[in-house]
Structures are given as structure tokens and as C-alpha cells.
Amino acid sequence: MDRKRIGFMGLGIMGRAMAENVLQGGWPLTVYNRSRDKTVILAELGANVASTPKDLAQASDVVISMLTGPEAVYALLTGENGCARGLEAGKVFVNMSTVSPAYAREIASGLAPLGVTYLDAPVSGSKKPAEEGSLVILAGGPKETVEELTPLFLSMGKQVIHCGDVGQGSMAKMGINMLLGTMMEALGEMLSFGRAGGLSDDVLFEVLHASTLACGLFTLKEKMLREDYYPAQFPLKHMAKDLKYAVDTAYETGAAIPGAAAMQQLYTAAKAKDMGEMDFSAVAKVLLELSGSKSGC
Amino acid sequence: MDRKRIGFMGLGIMGRAMAENVLQGGWPLTVYNRSRDKTVILAELGANVASTPKDLAQASDVVISMLTGPEAVYALLTGENGCARGLEAGKVFVNMSTVSPAYAREIASGLAPLGVTYLDAPVSGSKKPAEEGSLVILAGGPKETVEELTPLFLSMGKQVIHCGDVGQGSMAKMGINMLLGTMMEALGEMLSFGRAGGLSDDVLFEVLHASTLACGLFTLKEKMLREDYYPAQFPLKHMAKDLKYAVDTAYETGAAIPGAAAMQQLYTAAKAKDMGEMDFSAVAKVLLELSGSKSGC
Amino acid sequence: MDRKRIGFMGLGIMGRAMAENVLQGGWPLTVYNRSRDKTVILAELGANVASTPKDLAQASDVVISMLTGPEAVYALLTGENGCARGLEAGKVFVNMSTVSPAYAREIASGLAPLGVTYLDAPVSGSKKPAEEGSLVILAGGPKETVEELTPLFLSMGKQVIHCGDVGQGSMAKMGINMLLGTMMEALGEMLSFGRAGGLSDDVLFEVLHASTLACGLFTLKEKMLREDYYPAQFPLKHMAKDLKYAVDTAYETGAAIPGAAAMQQLYTAAKAKDMGEMDFSAVAKVLLELSGSKSGC
Amino acid sequence: MDRKRIGFMGLGIMGRAMAENVLQGGWPLTVYNRSRDKTVILAELGANVASTPKDLAQASDVVISMLTGPEAVYALLTGENGCARGLEAGKVFVNMSTVSPAYAREIASGLAPLGVTYLDAPVSGSKKPAEEGSLVILAGGPKETVEELTPLFLSMGKQVIHCGDVGQGSMAKMGINMLLGTMMEALGEMLSFGRAGGLSDDVLFEVLHASTLACGLFTLKEKMLREDYYPAQFPLKHMAKDLKYAVDTAYETGAAIPGAAAMQQLYTAAKAKDMGEMDFSAVAKVLLELSGSKSGC
């Protein structure tokens, strides 16, 4: 595509890094964020700053949102100064935040009468891949639009996977996050089991890394688990939310997900114990505490 | 160590491949198996064949057992022609099959009065790594004995991890198998969730392999899951047994393992549906069937 | 209260029986049902039949709804001919169907500007208590309104419990249904465990009824379980829905409900196996089938 | 039966009350307990006190044991002064403590060569029914022996249920205790859910007692839950043990018991938090704490 004008709403941990990569990829960029101070760095790097979502949409061909939860998406899309007021036929709205497939389809239906194409394009990967531009983009929507935007996506990520129609990007994201949440909890369980059985953390992680279960996730989280310190790469409250979406979606499609449903309860419990802002790997603390480990909590 | 004489009992899928590697590593080898036909190939490769476990022990400095379950170990160790009758002070008995840590300690205590050193050395890895000599050996017992036998272990594996005292090799094995059983089930759940939600298997596995969750296990099992055909690399009934040991051990140490305990039930259910001889990845069929998927069962 | 005029919408299994009891209690009654044939019997008993929810509301001081799910409630409340158009200041809208506490509060807020009082008043008890007028009414809303309507409620039930503000009747209903769903599943598990262990159903139920666990529920369901035949008293799909509401509500309030969340998955699985229209006690079939019992499915 | 001489081993909370009722029923009674001080009261009431299990067996026609766990039974049965040395052909050994069905069959096999008949006869009911003589006896073994001992059993209980061959009494006990453990946990979950949702305990229990779920158990435990104070009627550590037996037994028979297996983990967690000596209803504390409730722990 020739250099379309990009609008980017939502400059949190993920969004800011992604927006910077769009800018560095050479796209003309306008940004919007509810608390304006987060736009400063991007302005210094050359982005325009819009006062309202509507202004942002008017100044852009493609609007990207990277917000937390459906409520935030809804709030910026609708209303007097909402994004929808600035969108017109031929423009594309790309929601890169994680919502349920049902909600993705709902927004798409709402925008269709305006002639606006909706893509859901949640990402696999957290803070570091966002900064390094190595995210994986899970795109749902018309194939030709996904292909057209692929160069844009590749400024933020290393790979684009077209998952199917609108909502299917979100469906794939639910699936991978279910697995992520379960694997993280299972690692916490192995740690809790091993410590109670007298194994050292050195042995536990050596055994893990030498097995066919070795993966990027476990390498990434080892330090946090060993030091019992969990600065957020992917906040636990978001994992709790994503697993809840998975349970919601499974209820609709009729899939039985006994493991993920059990995990959701543990993340909910962790959130109730004020761990929502920690990294989601802090779910291990719940297991350690259930096992009576003093170092757990 | 100079070339000690090795005895090897138990020539199943894993045992035969391991014994061959011991032989090819240059160790003088005597083998024993209950059904004698399994010894033929090894005899052709140069191994001696003992008529009883007692004979095998008398002809060996180090006896290795690779049997299924504590009952089999007990049966070959004890009795008139049992292995114990041929063991004497200074010899080493290495149990490489998976038993509970408590049982490992029990055998060790039983052999100690004879002056026999016991090592538990279960392996991480299944059929293929056994054939390729790329297992990981999880050793529990006296450090100097583990070090002394390391060259022998390295004929069968690529890495030896000393996990602690007797029983701790088994403890580490329980831990890694808990994670293995949970990750496999979670993958089945993702598959069931994704299919019910309209995602193709192509997309599901592409998303998986592009994520930080990508690991050897998932690559290894993809074909089985996609084709719904499960020739045993690691039989499901053994996973059911290992998870049961983990639940037993957790009960003793006081660790809470809610995820693994739930998984154990699913593997038990799979076994009850006559899937015990299939690969353990067939647990996915239980989930697919719970979700009403016709292709599941 | 003096004889207020009552409107009743929703004449399903429960609703028809409840409406008959209102009529027999001496209240002037107008009924509405989407499929008109269900109104015939009540008309014969002396009820008026309204053509639209709006007409019903105009002809009534108190409108009761007994519908399945929030969508149905929404559909009859809103729109051109919706119930809300016929409600005016001083009237009361009583929702006796099971919705989530959040949705109850949402309807209440919607009706408040009209001067209409909203009560949520879901019932504990299924088909038979509805017919016999022995339901328990779990009421949420202003105390004085609950007290004012108590004579009306007592025409349908034997007891009225004021649970708190609007939404709290639904909260109590979620709580009791969580327990109901878990107890039913646990009974199925006992049956499956006992049969696999060689106990006869005669012994199992004799032991059960002689214990401190004996309760109306178990007496009520014994026949269904023994005969493996499940005509709906409370359809399984409704239990699946109610447990889903409970999971939703627990997510909002931060309560961890690991047992109920696991149960929800089993009821979802049962629904996926086309048991949605059976009585919810058919969840036992899922357990029997998981245990490989041929008689289970 | 004419007045056979009874021996009673194990005078804990349950055993002492049961032995007193045997005495008051008019049977000649000899007692044995490891710590001798517990025999004093019974001696004052007219019982003989034996110095060893062997002496007790020699002085009795029927020996009853009410001990905690298979280890204790084994310890008093075997050895120099063990009960078995005093048993001879025609005598009956009745184990009223809870063991696994497999263990019951194992003892029976061990005693058969001596001509001694073994019955397993665990009881349904805890402290209070033991004192009041209103236990339910779940008997497994030869029908004629069960019938012969029925008058003896009725001195301790209100009902005798013959569950089948040896081991089936234990099987029925496992079944009822699985349900007991699950129902107690589910009540804790309802409490935790309700409190988090703003319901008062008054409302919660009123709703509960008005429902078809109302049962002796819930009435019995209400006070403990409301006051967060759990003096042991049935210690939590014993429930943890019984659920573990159930998991063991289900593994052997191939029954899937997902609910009870999950519950076992929660009771294990409670034990790890030093609640083992509290009443088993204290499992509610684990749920309250998981939900972040301050009053929970």
C-alpha cells in the first residue's frame, strides 16, 4: 500500500511501543490517548496528536485501537466526539486489543453501514516483543484488507496470520491465551510440588529446560518465579479477563474447557488477593500459598 | 570408570533402545527379560542373556532396571531367583523406570544392608530420544555414584542431572510429567475450543508455533492430533499412572496440585474408554468428545 | 393489599402453573404469551388475554414476568408494543425469571425514571412446587414493596425471603443454584464411583437416604438416575445458563468458585451432547460415560 | 446371637462412644487402647482392660477395631502381641474404621487361613450419632455374619446396611464421604459467593433451609460457618485421607471423579494451612481466603 495515514488510539505499555514502531516504519501517524501526557514522547518522535477520537479518525485512513477491554473500545468509538464520527466509507478500523469474538463481530456490524471495514488483529506477545517489533498479528476479517495492511502490521510484528473472518483473530487469541494461562499455572504447580518435595529451583529449571517442554515462556518467567518478584510484562488482571472471555466464548460454542475454566478461578483468586497489577506469572504465588509455603505470599 | 559389567532388565520400547546404546557405548552387557524373545536382537548385537535376574546380577557390577511400575521392579528384585540374591557389596542397582519417590527410598533401604548402592535415574524423553541416545537422566542418590556412572548414562542420554538424594530423581520426574500431562491436555483443549469456534487446524498450529509457547512437545504431537491417530510414543496408561504417583506424592508432602489432579481424572477417563495403549496425546479425544465433536471419538 | 390487577407474561412449564395459582388466589389476572395457544387454558379459568405486553401492562397494577433468559425479558419490555410503554408511575414490575444480579439492577435503573418499581423475585423450586404453590420466593427490592406483594407471592409459594436490594434475589438464586448443580453432579459421581466399584443402586441410595446428606433433591431424582430416563423438571440447559451467570457474577465480585466453575463445564459438555432438554440430573450420564460405563449413554 | 464376648480396640472420639454403647447394650466387653488412660472410663463402666491386642483377642469372640488409617490397623493386628495371634477359627474381626476397599480385602485374605471371618463395617455419622447410638453401619462381608452381628451393631447404630462382599462396606463409605466432602465444600463456596455479593448469612441460610437441598449436614454446620469457629466433629485431616482413598479406589476401578478429586486438593491445601485438627467444614476458610475475604482466615 502507498503510505496511508495511520491513527493510533491507546498508548499503554503495548500501544506506545507499537505506535513507535509504526512511526519508525515510515507511516504518517496521528495518536490519541485519554491521558494526554502519554502522547508527548510520540509527538517528539514526529506524530501528530489529536484532541478527540473523532479528530483522529478524520485525519487517518486506517485507525488502530489498542485499549483494555470492550468498554474502552466502546467509549472511544461512540458518542459526540467518538471515532465513528470521523470514519467514512473506505477507511479501516483495526482493533488490536483483545476482545471476545462475539464483540468483534458486533463492532464490525456496527461499522459496516458506514462503509468502514473492521479487522480484529490481536497480538501474540507482550511487552518485549512489542518493543522489538516481533509480535505475531492474529488477523480476522476480509483477506484482501489483511493483505493490504500486512506491511503496516510488519512494522509492529514479525508475522501476520490470517485466521479467518471477523472475530477469528480474537478466537485464535483466546485459544493461545488459554494455553498460556494454563501453562503458566502448571509451571507454578510444578514449582510448588518440587519445592514441597525438596527439589532445589536449580534442579527444577535445569530439568525443565532440558525437556521437550522447554519454551520461550518458561525461560522468560524463570527469574520472576525464583525471585518471587513479578513486575508486569502481561498484567495478571488481563489474563483473568482473557480467560473469562474464553469461558464466555466456550459457553457460546459449546466447547468444554475444564482446565482453562479451573485456571480462570485461580487467576480470579489471585486478583482478589491484590495481585492484579503483577505479572500473570504471580499465579504461582496462589499455588505456593495453597501448599502452605511461607515464601509463597 | 573402567569398563564395568552392566546388567539390563526390562526390554520394552524404551529399555531395548537404551540397552542397545549401552552396548554400542562399549560396555560388556548382560540382559534379562521375562519374555525371552525380546532378548534375541541384543544377543545378536553381542549381549549375554541371563536366565534369571539373579544370574544377571551375579554377572554384573551395575544392574539397570527399566520396568513398568513398582510391582514389576519388586517381582524381579525379590524371591528365589531375584536380582537381590545376586547383588553383593559394592555393586550398584539403578532403577531407570518411573516409580514414586517413596518407593525409590523403600528399595534403597532394602538394599542398603547388602552394601548395594541404589540410584533412581528415571529419564525425561520417550521412544525417539531413547533410540537416539538423547534422553535426559534425572538421577537421585549419592553424588559420587552418579558421577561415576555418568559415562554409562551418557551412552543412553545427552545430559545427566543430579537431582539430590535417593528419590529426588523420581521427584523431578513426577514434576516434569505433571507439566507434560497438563500441557498436552491444554493443547487438546485449545484444539477443541478452536475447532468449535471455527478455526482451522492450520491456523491453530501456525499460531501456536509462532508463539513463546512453541516447544518440542507440540511439534512432536501435531501430526497425531491433526490426523486423530495416536500410535504410542508414551502410552496413555503410563501417563495416567505417573499422574497418580504425583497425586500420591503431593498428598504426602502437602503440595496442592489442583491442575494435575484434574488432569489425572481426564487420563483415567481416557483409559476407561480403552485408550490406554494409545499415545497419551489421545487425551485430546476426551475433550473433543466432551465438546460434542463427532471427529473426536 | 387490596386486589390489585395482576399481569403475567411467560406461560412456560413454570409460568403457567404460577399464573393459575395467582388466579385461584383470587386476583384479577391478565396474561400474555408469545405463542398464543398457551393462554387458552388460563382464559378458560377466567384470565383476560392481552394481545401485546403493552396492553397487558396498561391493564395491570403489577406485572410479573417468568421468561427464559435476559434476551426474552428485554424483548417483551422494550419496543413499540413493549411492556414498558404500558407501565406508569406507581406500578410494579416483578421479574420472577432467573437473570444475573447485574441485569436485574440494569432493568431497575431503566424503569426508575418512569416511576415504576422493579422487584427481582426468582423462585427456588421447579415444576412440582410451582404446581402445588409451594415455591420459595427470593425477593430483591424495596422492603415495603416486597411486603405489599407478599400476599400475592404466597398464592404461588409457601415462603417469601427478602434478600436485600434489587439484584439480591438473583444473587441468592445464583447461590442456591450453584449448590444445586454441584450436589447433583456429586450425586452422579457417587453413582458412577459406586457402580464401578460393584455397589448396587439399592445399596447406594439406602446409604444415601440414611445419612445426614439425605434431602428432598436426592429423593426427587433417585428414580431418574436409576432408570436412566430424565424427563425435564428443570431442563439441563437452564442449569448450564444459571451456572454461567454464577461464573459471570463471581468474576465481577471477585469470589473464587472452583467447584461451580468445574461443574459449569460438565453441564456445558452435557448440553453439547444434546442433553439440554433433559432434566439437569442427566449430568450424571456424562460422569458415567467418562467412567466407561455402557449404561451411561 | 447369644451374648458373645466383645473386644474393642481404638478408643478415640468415635471409638469410646461406640464402646460405651456396646457395654450399655449388655455385651461383655474387653477394651484395648495404645494410650492406656483412655480405657479408665470404660473400666469404671464395667469393661475389662487388656494389656495387648493379643490378650484382647483371646478374651473375645468378636473383635472390633475403630482406628485411624490402615497403618494403625496393621500395627495392632500383626506382630508378637498382635491381635491376629489371639484370633482363632470361628472368631470374627470387624473393622469399623475407614480403610480402602482394597485394604479391607487384603486383611480379609490374611485372616481367612486362620478360619477368622472379617467384616468391614465403617460407619456413616460422626461424634454426636456415635454418642447417641444413631450411627448407620455399612457392612461388607458374608451375609450370615452380618445378620448374626446385627444386634451388636444396633447397640451402636440405628440401621445396618449390608453393602455386599468384603470391601463393599468401605466402598459405600468412600462414596458417601466423597459426597459429604463435596457438599461441604459447595456450601463454603455458596457462602463465599454470597458474602462477596453482599448477602447476609441470615438470608443465605434461610434460603438454604427453605430449599430441597436442606439436610442434616447443613443444619449441623451452620453455626461453625457463621462463627468461623470449627471444633472437630469430624477432623479435616480425616476427610483429606478419605478423599485420597476415594481417588485411589477410583484409579483402580476406572471411575472418573473430577469433582471429588478437585475437592481432595482443597482439603489437602487446608491441611497444609494447619487446619487438619479442625472440623472438616473449615474447608470453607480456604474458599473465603481465595476470594480475598478478610474474615476467612
Side-chain angles (χ1 to χ4, degrees):
Chain A
M1 83 188 166
D2 59 327
R3 297 279 133 170
K4 299 206 164 177
R5 298 167 301 155
I6 312 300
F8 203 110
M9 307 193 298
L11 302 172
I13 299 181
M14 297 292 289
R16 203 180 73 182
M18 290 159 72
E20 280 190 30
N21 282 324
V22 168
L23 203 56
Q24 277 165 13
W27 272 269
L29 182 70
T30 304
V31 297
Y32 172 81
N33 197 68
R34 223 182 284 208
S35 57
R36 195 145 176 148
D37 55 337
K38 293 204 174 163
T39 62
V40 175
I41 292 176
L42 282 152
E44 283 171 6
L45 294 172
N48 300 310
V49 178
S51 322
T52 66
K54 182 182 167 192
D55 291 348
L56 176 127
Q58 280 172 334
S60 309
D61 303 307
V62 176
V63 173
I64 296 171
S65 71
M66 188 66 192
L67 304 157
T68 301
E71 297 79 8
V73 176
Y74 186 80
L76 296 200
L77 256 178
T78 60
E80 192 74 348
N81 293 306
C83 185
R85 293 283 170 102
L87 292 172
E88 58 194 40
K91 294 193 174 181
V92 182
F93 182 78
V94 185
N95 180 25
M96 299 190 77
S97 33
T98 301
V99 296
S100 72
Y103 187 65
R105 286 189 292 267
E106 201 179 310
I107 313 178
S109 308
L111 294 175
L114 306 174
V116 175
T117 303
Y118 174 89
L119 291 189
D120 58 320
V123 298
S124 176
S126 61
K127 194 186 170 196
K128 218 178 153 208
E131 289 168 353
E132 294 171 351
S134 62
L135 294 165
V136 176
I137 285 90
L138 310 177
K143 195 166 188 239
E144 58 278 10
T145 313
V146 172
E147 282 172 0
E148 197 188 350
L149 295 193
T150 290
L152 170 64
F153 288 145
L154 291 180
S155 70
M156 295 176 271
K158 63 178 181 189
Q159 192 175 347
V160 179
I161 300 174
H162 183 220
C163 300
D165 292 341
V166 165
Q168 296 308 81
S170 300
M171 190 68 79
K173 179 69 189 286
M174 296 294 97
I176 201 75
N177 270 16
M178 272 170 53
L179 188 55
L180 178 62
T182 305
M183 282 174 62
M184 196 63 241
E185 191 279 342
L187 181 57
E189 212 161 288
M190 183 193 174
L191 194 68
S192 159
F193 177 84
R195 285 184 185 169
L199 294 172
S200 71
D201 287 7
D202 283 349
V203 163
L204 275 165
F205 281 98
E206 192 178 355
V207 168
L208 177 60
H209 297 318
S211 75
T212 56
L213 312 180
C215 62
L217 175 71
F218 294 155
T219 303
L220 194 64
K221 303 300 183 189
E222 175 175 352
K223 194 164 175 283
M224 292 189 192
L225 292 171
R226 295 181 73 142
E227 299 180 355
D228 194 29
Y229 175 63
Y230 306 91
Q233 290 169 330
F234 179 45
L236 192 143
K237 67 182 180 186
H238 292 176
M239 177 53 86
K241 179 197 63 152
D242 287 3
L243 288 173
K244 181 57 171 49
Y245 288 161
V247 168
D248 291 349
T249 301
Y251 179 73
E252 281 159 27
T253 63
I257 51 169
M263 297 308 120
Q264 191 226 329
Q265 293 301 315
L266 286 173
Y267 285 98
T268 297
K271 221 176 61 171
K273 286 162 172 292
D274 295 323
M275 301 183 197
E277 303 297 333
M278 297 184 190
D279 190 69
F280 78 105
S281 54
V283 73
K285 289 171 80 70
V286 176
L287 292 156
L288 287 163
E289 201 200 358
L290 276 176
S291 301
S293 167
K294 302 297 173 239
S295 67
C297 265
Chain B
M1 81 188 167
D2 60 326
R3 297 279 132 171
K4 298 206 164 177
R5 297 166 303 153
I6 311 302
F8 203 110
M9 306 193 298
L11 302 171
I13 299 180
M14 296 292 286
R16 202 179 75 183
M18 291 160 72
E20 280 189 31
N21 283 324
V22 168
L23 203 56
Q24 278 164 14
W27 271 269
L29 182 70
T30 303
V31 298
Y32 171 81
N33 197 69
R34 223 182 285 208
S35 56
R36 196 149 174 143
D37 56 334
K38 293 203 175 163
T39 63
V40 176
I41 292 176
L42 282 153
E44 284 170 5
L45 293 172
N48 299 311
V49 178
S51 322
T52 65
K54 182 183 167 192
D55 292 349
L56 175 127
Q58 281 173 334
S60 309
D61 303 307
V62 176
V63 173
I64 295 171
S65 71
M66 189 65 192
L67 303 157
T68 302
E71 297 80 8
V73 176
Y74 187 80
L76 296 201
L77 256 179
T78 60
E80 195 72 350
N81 293 306
C83 185
R85 294 282 170 103
L87 291 173
E88 57 195 41
K91 293 192 174 182
V92 182
F93 183 79
V94 185
N95 181 26
M96 300 189 77
S97 32
T98 301
V99 297
S100 72
Y103 187 65
R105 286 189 292 266
E106 200 179 311
I107 312 178
S109 309
L111 295 176
L114 306 174
V116 175
T117 304
Y118 174 90
L119 290 189
D120 60 318
V123 298
S124 177
S126 61
K127 194 185 170 195
K128 219 178 153 208
E131 289 168 354
E132 293 171 350
S134 61
L135 295 165
V136 176
I137 285 88
L138 311 177
K143 195 169 188 236
E144 57 279 9
T145 313
V146 173
E147 281 172 1
E148 198 188 347
L149 296 193
T150 290
L152 170 64
F153 288 145
L154 291 179
S155 70
M156 295 175 273
K158 64 178 180 187
Q159 191 175 349
V160 179
I161 300 175
H162 183 219
C163 300
D165 292 340
V166 165
Q168 295 308 80
S170 300
M171 190 67 79
K173 180 69 190 286
M174 296 295 96
I176 200 77
N177 270 16
M178 272 170 54
L179 188 55
L180 178 62
T182 305
M183 282 174 62
M184 196 64 241
E185 191 278 343
L187 180 58
E189 213 161 285
M190 184 193 173
L191 194 69
S192 159
F193 177 84
R195 285 185 184 168
L199 293 172
S200 71
D201 287 6
D202 283 350
V203 163
L204 275 166
F205 281 99
E206 192 179 355
V207 169
L208 177 60
H209 297 318
S211 76
T212 57
L213 312 180
C215 62
L217 175 71
F218 295 155
T219 303
L220 195 65
K221 303 300 183 189
E222 175 175 352
K223 193 164 176 283
M224 292 189 191
L225 292 171
R226 294 181 73 142
E227 299 181 353
D228 194 29
Y229 175 63
Y230 306 90
Q233 288 170 332
F234 179 45
L236 191 142
K237 67 181 180 187
H238 292 176
M239 177 54 86
K241 179 197 60 149
D242 286 2
L243 288 174
K244 181 56 171 48
Y245 288 161
V247 168
D248 291 349
T249 301
Y251 179 73
E252 282 159 27
T253 62
I257 50 168
M263 297 307 122
Q264 190 225 330
Q265 293 300 315
L266 287 173
Y267 285 97
T268 296
K271 220 177 61 171
K273 286 165 171 291
D274 295 324
M275 301 181 198
E277 303 297 333
M278 296 183 190
D279 190 70
F280 78 106
S281 54
V283 72
K285 290 171 80 68
V286 176
L287 292 155
L288 287 163
E289 201 200 357
L290 275 176
S291 302
S293 166
K294 302 299 173 236
S295 67
C297 266
Chain C
M1 83 188 164
D2 60 324
R3 296 279 133 170
K4 297 206 166 177
R5 297 166 303 153
I6 311 301
F8 203 108
M9 306 193 297
L11 302 172
I13 299 179
M14 297 292 288
R16 202 179 75 184
M18 289 158 71
E20 281 189 30
N21 283 324
V22 168
L23 203 56
Q24 278 164 12
W27 271 269
L29 181 72
T30 306
V31 298
Y32 171 82
N33 196 69
R34 223 183 284 208
S35 56
R36 193 147 177 146
D37 55 335
K38 294 202 174 163
T39 61
V40 175
I41 292 176
L42 283 151
E44 285 171 4
L45 294 172
N48 300 310
V49 178
S51 323
T52 66
K54 182 184 166 189
D55 292 349
L56 175 127
Q58 281 173 334
S60 309
D61 303 307
V62 175
V63 174
I64 295 171
S65 72
M66 188 67 192
L67 304 157
T68 301
E71 298 79 8
V73 177
Y74 187 80
L76 297 200
L77 256 178
T78 60
E80 194 72 348
N81 292 307
C83 184
R85 293 283 170 103
L87 292 173
E88 56 196 40
K91 293 192 174 182
V92 183
F93 182 79
V94 185
N95 180 25
M96 300 189 77
S97 34
T98 301
V99 298
S100 72
Y103 186 64
R105 287 190 290 265
E106 202 180 310
I107 313 177
S109 308
L111 295 176
L114 306 175
V116 175
T117 303
Y118 174 90
L119 291 189
D120 58 319
V123 298
S124 177
S126 60
K127 194 185 171 194
K128 217 176 154 210
E131 290 168 353
E132 295 171 351
S134 62
L135 295 166
V136 177
I137 286 88
L138 311 176
K143 194 165 189 241
E144 59 279 11
T145 314
V146 172
E147 282 171 1
E148 197 188 348
L149 295 193
T150 290
L152 170 64
F153 288 146
L154 290 180
S155 69
M156 295 176 271
K158 64 179 179 188
Q159 191 175 351
V160 179
I161 301 175
H162 183 221
C163 301
D165 292 340
V166 166
Q168 295 308 81
S170 301
M171 190 68 79
K173 179 70 189 284
M174 296 293 97
I176 201 76
N177 271 15
M178 273 171 52
L179 188 56
L180 177 64
T182 305
M183 281 174 63
M184 197 63 240
E185 192 278 343
L187 180 58
E189 212 160 285
M190 184 193 173
L191 193 69
S192 158
F193 176 84
R195 285 185 184 169
L199 293 172
S200 71
D201 286 7
D202 282 350
V203 164
L204 277 165
F205 282 98
E206 191 178 356
V207 169
L208 177 61
H209 297 317
S211 76
T212 55
L213 312 180
C215 62
L217 175 71
F218 295 155
T219 302
L220 195 64
K221 303 301 182 187
E222 175 175 353
K223 192 163 176 282
M224 292 189 191
L225 292 170
R226 294 181 74 141
E227 300 181 354
D228 194 29
Y229 175 63
Y230 306 92
Q233 289 169 331
F234 179 45
L236 191 143
K237 66 181 180 187
H238 291 176
M239 176 54 85
K241 180 196 61 151
D242 287 2
L243 287 174
K244 181 58 172 47
Y245 289 160
V247 168
D248 291 349
T249 301
Y251 179 73
E252 281 159 27
T253 62
I257 50 168
M263 297 307 121
Q264 189 227 332
Q265 293 300 313
L266 287 172
Y267 286 98
T268 297
K271 220 177 61 172
K273 287 163 171 292
D274 296 324
M275 302 181 196
E277 303 297 333
M278 296 183 190
D279 189 69
F280 78 106
S281 55
V283 73
K285 290 171 80 70
V286 175
L287 292 156
L288 288 163
E289 200 200 359
L290 276 176
S291 302
S293 165
K294 303 298 172 235
S295 67
C297 266
Chain D
M1 83 189 165
D2 58 327
R3 296 279 134 169
K4 298 208 165 177
R5 298 166 303 154
I6 311 301
F8 203 109
M9 306 193 298
L11 303 172
I13 298 180
M14 297 292 287
R16 202 179 75 184
M18 290 159 72
E20 281 189 30
N21 283 324
V22 168
L23 203 58
Q24 277 164 13
W27 272 269
L29 181 71
T30 305
V31 297
Y32 172 81
N33 196 69
R34 224 182 283 208
S35 56
R36 194 147 176 145
D37 55 335
K38 294 202 174 164
T39 61
V40 175
I41 292 176
L42 283 151
E44 285 170 5
L45 294 173
N48 300 310
V49 179
S51 322
T52 65
K54 183 183 166 190
D55 292 348
L56 175 127
Q58 281 172 335
S60 309
D61 303 307
V62 176
V63 174
I64 295 172
S65 71
M66 189 66 191
L67 304 156
T68 301
E71 298 79 8
V73 177
Y74 187 80
L76 296 200
L77 255 179
T78 60
E80 196 71 348
N81 293 307
C83 184
R85 293 283 170 101
L87 292 172
E88 55 195 42
K91 293 193 173 179
V92 182
F93 182 79
V94 185
N95 181 25
M96 300 190 77
S97 34
T98 302
V99 297
S100 72
Y103 186 66
R105 286 188 292 265
E106 202 180 310
I107 314 178
S109 309
L111 294 175
L114 305 175
V116 174
T117 303
Y118 174 90
L119 291 189
D120 58 318
V123 298
S124 177
S126 61
K127 195 185 169 194
K128 216 176 155 209
E131 290 168 354
E132 295 172 350
S134 60
L135 295 165
V136 177
I137 284 90
L138 311 176
K143 194 165 188 240
E144 58 279 11
T145 314
V146 173
E147 283 172 0
E148 197 188 348
L149 296 193
T150 290
L152 170 65
F153 289 145
L154 291 180
S155 70
M156 296 176 271
K158 64 178 180 188
Q159 191 176 350
V160 179
I161 301 175
H162 183 220
C163 300
D165 292 340
V166 165
Q168 296 307 82
S170 301
M171 190 68 80
K173 180 69 189 284
M174 297 293 96
I176 200 77
N177 271 15
M178 274 171 52
L179 188 56
L180 177 63
T182 305
M183 282 174 62
M184 197 63 241
E185 192 279 342
L187 180 58
E189 212 160 285
M190 184 193 173
L191 193 68
S192 158
F193 176 85
R195 285 185 184 170
L199 293 172
S200 71
D201 286 7
D202 283 351
V203 163
L204 276 166
F205 282 98
E206 190 178 357
V207 169
L208 177 61
H209 297 317
S211 75
T212 56
L213 313 180
C215 61
L217 175 71
F218 296 155
T219 302
L220 194 64
K221 303 299 182 187
E222 175 175 352
K223 192 163 175 284
M224 292 190 192
L225 293 170
R226 294 181 73 141
E227 299 181 356
D228 194 29
Y229 175 63
Y230 306 91
Q233 289 169 330
F234 179 44
L236 190 142
K237 67 182 179 185
H238 291 176
M239 176 53 87
K241 180 197 61 149
D242 286 2
L243 288 173
K244 180 59 172 48
Y245 289 160
V247 167
D248 291 349
T249 301
Y251 179 73
E252 282 159 26
T253 62
I257 50 168
M263 297 308 121
Q264 190 226 329
Q265 293 300 314
L266 287 173
Y267 285 97
T268 297
K271 219 176 62 171
K273 287 164 172 290
D274 296 323
M275 302 182 197
E277 304 297 333
M278 295 182 190
D279 190 70
F280 78 106
S281 55
V283 73
K285 289 172 78 71
V286 176
L287 292 156
L288 288 163
E289 201 201 358
L290 276 176
S291 302
S293 165
K294 303 301 171 234
S295 66
C297 266

